Amino acid sequence: MEENKKIRVAITHGDTNGIGYELIFKTFEEPGMLEICTPIIYGSPKVATYYRKMLDLKVQFSIIQQANEAQDGRINLLTAVEDDIKVDVGQPTEESGTAAIMALDRAISDYREGLFDVLVTAPVNNSNINIQNYQFPGQTKYIETCLGNSQNTMDILINDRLRIAFATPCIALKDVTKAISKDIIIARVSHFKEVIRRDFNISNPRIAVLSLNPYNPENGTFGPEEDQMILPAIQELADNGIQAFGPYPAAEFFGEGYFDEFDGILAMYHDQGIAPFKAIAPEYGVVLTTGLQLVRTASDQTVDFEYAGKNAENPSSFRHAIYTAIDAFRNRARYDEPYENPLKKLYHERHDEGEKVRFSIPKKHSGAPFTPNKESKRPENNGPKNINGSNNRSKDNKNQDNRPLQAQEANKPQVQQQNQPVVQQQNQQAPLQQSTQDTSKE
């Protein structure tokens, strides 16, 4: 992979009566954005011109008909919707829903032809997207269905301090218990671990698993799910060399700040994860869809019809969605490269010297949740890595440079990377043990 190559970012315009064009144009009002990527907006030139004029946004774009016509250093607007579209700002209409799905379909077709690298989608309203003999399930599942080569997609919420995945989809609370099983938890955590390794360049991630019930009493007052499903799943994951810990009651886990000890968190249901996610770091949120060959991200925003056309939207989340997509694309390429042409081993590796044994975890994962040693002295900057793969534990993140690594390195001298080789981590202590061991992260 060419490190200096600009990533081609496909951007769909979303619902044409919503906030999509405002987010897109405000994002690229930042001059440096065109230095780190080449945007290809799948939309309508007429609708784009309408919003640019109405919102008085000082951006220029070039109209193209094919993705291979896109040029670096420009905002390329590809005509994905040929017909005139009536714009009813702030109103969900069948016409605006049709325009949204037309742009997404064109982008998916172009991805099959290899015409761009990553996809960032603007918000849509699922209820006004009507496809004959097909109930639109949302953009994530629709992309998964169209590509046909996906493996159990999962959305991960990302900001500077948290990465949260979910054991169950966004379903009614009364259906959550039936949707959880030991096998599902094992599959989700295993998948989550691979995502963190591949997309965020963290070689041996620590993953916290939340409990389903308010807390984990020994007598199982609130239900048997922890003893019957969650604890056995964590034990099996630990036996397989995956650093999974818990289950942790959500109130204590987030309230006491235990999340700083982990690289990823598996919540049991939607609100258990989304509420603390928005409360702890409200500046921005990004959704990364995993399980696709395609890198796809979105801002953690709804279509916001009530604010459409009022020039009130903050583009921070959308801009970070582009940053995340670029970093994930580069990290995946670096991670996958050694596996494409592996070197033939010149020696026989003893089984007990393998990675599984070197990174095995003591079988103390079962039983009651582990409370971190609050007196342990944790070194500074040891929290989960931010979307760019670097530590970010500053109390004041407002001026944090969260651009992709490629853009940051262009403006500062090269420094030696601080990540330790994997082999040096073999003596790393498992976090949050019920012992007197130092629980600080390396």
Side-chain angles (χ1 to χ4, degrees), residues 128-165:
N128 68 329
I129 296 179
N130 299 312
I131 304 173
Q132 188 174 8
N133 300 323
Y134 180 78
Q135 183 176 358
F136 186 73
Q139 294 190 96
T140 296
K141 287 298 180 183
Y142 185 76
I143 295 169
E144 179 183 14
T145 301
C146 291
L147 291 179
N149 56 0
S150 307
Q151 298 178 351
N152 298 320
T153 57
M154 180 170 72
D155 284 339
I156 298 175
L157 290 173
I158 303 162
N159 58 30
D160 267 349
R161 303 188 69 183
L162 300 168
R163 299 183 191 92
I164 299 182

Side-chain angles (χ1 to χ4, degrees), residues 100-353:
I101 203 65
M102 288 176 68
L104 185 57
D105 281 341
R106 178 66 182 274
I108 293 172
S109 296
D110 282 356
Y111 174 73
R112 293 194 187 101
E113 300 296 324
L115 298 178
F116 61 82
D117 300 308
V118 301
L119 174 65
V120 179
T121 57
V124 303
N125 180 33
N126 295 348
S127 62
N128 68 329
I129 296 179
N130 299 312
I131 304 173
Q132 188 174 8
N133 300 323
Y134 180 78
Q135 183 176 358
F136 186 73
Q139 294 190 96
T140 296
K141 287 298 180 183
Y142 185 76
I143 295 169
E144 179 183 14
T145 301
C146 291
L147 291 179
N149 56 0
S150 307
Q151 298 178 351
N152 298 320
T153 57
M154 180 170 72
D155 284 339
I156 298 175
L157 290 173
I158 303 162
N159 58 30
D160 267 349
R161 303 188 69 183
L162 300 168
R163 299 183 191 92
I164 299 182
F166 301 89
T168 57
C170 189
I171 57 177
L173 189 59
K174 63 181 178 63
D175 298 326
V176 169
T177 302
K178 297 178 182 178
I180 294 176
S181 69
K182 172 187 171 184
D183 290 341
I184 287 175
I185 294 171
I186 290 174
R188 290 285 183 172
V189 173
S190 300
H191 178 74
F192 197 9
K193 181 208 75 170
E194 289 303 314
V195 169
I196 296 174
R197 291 182 64 184
R198 190 170 177 234
D199 290 0
F200 297 95
N201 194 30
I202 299 175
S203 61
N204 197 28
R206 302 173 180 182
I207 298 175
V209 180
L210 301 184
S211 63
L212 174 64
N213 295 297
Y215 63 92
N216 257 344
E218 293 182 1
N219 59 6
T221 302
F222 287 94
E225 290 81 12
E226 282 70 32
D227 287 337
Q228 294 180 1
M229 294 183 292
I230 302 177
L231 277 168
I234 293 172
Q235 182 64 60
E236 185 169 328
L237 289 162
D239 291 342
N240 291 331
I242 297 175
Q243 295 215 64
F245 300 88
Y248 297 103
E252 180 182 0
F253 183 82
F254 292 108
E256 297 294 331
Y258 299 167
F259 55 85
D260 278 334
E261 302 287 345
F262 297 94
D263 302 298
I265 302 162
L266 183 73
M268 291 296 108
Y269 54 92
H270 181 267
D271 282 13
Q272 187 185 47
I274 193 70
F277 178 84
K278 290 181 177 295
I280 291 170
E283 289 81 10
Y284 73 89
V286 174
V287 180
L288 170 67
T289 300
T290 68
L292 301 170
Q293 290 187 357
L294 166 68
V295 176
R296 180 260 177 165
T297 63
S299 57
D300 181 33
Q301 294 169 281
T302 65
V303 71
D304 277 352
F305 285 123
E306 63 272 27
Y307 297 111
K310 296 181 180 179
N311 206 4
E313 292 296 324
N314 185 338
S316 178
S317 291
F318 200 83
R319 187 177 294 120
H320 279 85
I322 295 175
Y323 294 162
T324 302
I326 293 172
D327 282 337
F329 181 82
R330 294 192 182 280
N331 286 336
R332 284 188 192 183
R334 283 190 288 264
Y335 183 88
D336 294 342
E337 187 175 8
Y339 296 97
E340 294 176 357
N341 297 293
L343 295 175
K344 185 177 180 180
K345 285 186 178 180
L346 301 178
Y347 63 94
H348 177 71
E349 184 181 73
R350 291 176 55 190
H351 178 70
D352 60 354
E353 293 177 352

Side-chain angles (χ1 to χ4, degrees), residues 81-102:
V81 183
E82 298 284 355
D83 300 331
D84 290 340
I85 303 172
K86 182 182 178 182
V87 177
D88 292 317
V89 179
Q91 300 298 319
T93 64
E94 183 175 351
E95 196 169 9
S96 65
T98 299
I101 203 65
M102 288 176 68

